Amino acid sequence: MKLQLFKLLLPLLLLLLSVCLEVSGESPQCFHFTWLGPYENKSNLPKESCEARVGDFNEIPCEMPLVATSNDSVPDVKALWKNETLNREHYLCQMSPGYSCVKYSYIFKGGIQNITYMCAKVNSTNGCYRHKHKSGMMVEACVCASKVGVIPCNNSPTMKSMHTRILGLALALFSIFVIVK
């Protein structure tokens, strides 16, 4: 009898959880900053701006704040997300309706030159798109849609959505109770 009641309540509980996440008033978030790539004069970073770096090349995305890493490696955005002491809101934007999260990378000879993480309106679906210029520079744009309450999807194009995880948990719980019966 208890098992039958659980089988009836489980879908209702999952639906309620999903609705609570949607109406919580929160918006999904995207990472929002530009990693400058290998950058020698880190003490000069506070004086830098997107306007100064991009100049007349308006098609090159750049989002403040500008970030340089101590060892010139690609930023660990998962560590940034988990770091409660750092003001991570400074590195995030709210994903508005009609917008997506984008990770825009410049790659030359196999090395990442810089990355811009942003919220943007794009004419594309989820996935990564590459274009190689005559100079050998590869431009990669990865587009995704974040979910509320989880790490922004523009940390990696293969992140699973929260709804997929909830569905997986529900199926696992259901399977356990079917086996126990």
Side-chain angles (χ1 to χ4, degrees), residues 94-153:
Q94 301 299 313
M95 193 179 81
S96 303
Y99 281 71
S100 297
C101 296
V102 179
K103 178 182 173 187
Y104 202 92
S105 307
Y106 280 89
I107 305 161
F108 188 68
K109 295 183 179 179
I112 299 175
Q113 302 302 303
N114 69 358
I115 302 172
T116 296
Y117 302 84
M118 61 187 154
C119 294
K121 192 168 214 133
V122 294
N123 296 327
S124 180
T125 57
N126 291 354
C128 291
Y129 307 90
R130 288 183 165 202
H131 175 74
K132 190 167 189 173
H133 292 275
K134 291 178 185 177
S135 66
M137 180 72 74
M138 175 81 66
V139 177
E140 179 184 73
C142 294
V143 178
C144 58
S146 284
K147 302 294 181 192
V148 174
V150 295
I151 186 170
C153 65

Side-chain angles (χ1 to χ4, degrees), residues 77-96:
V77 290
K78 290 178 184 177
L80 173 63
W81 178 257
K82 291 177 184 178
N83 189 339
E84 298 291 330
T85 59
L86 186 64
N87 181 10
R88 71 178 183 197
E89 297 301 316
H90 188 62
Y91 302 96
L92 299 170
C93 56
Q94 301 299 313
M95 193 179 81
S96 303

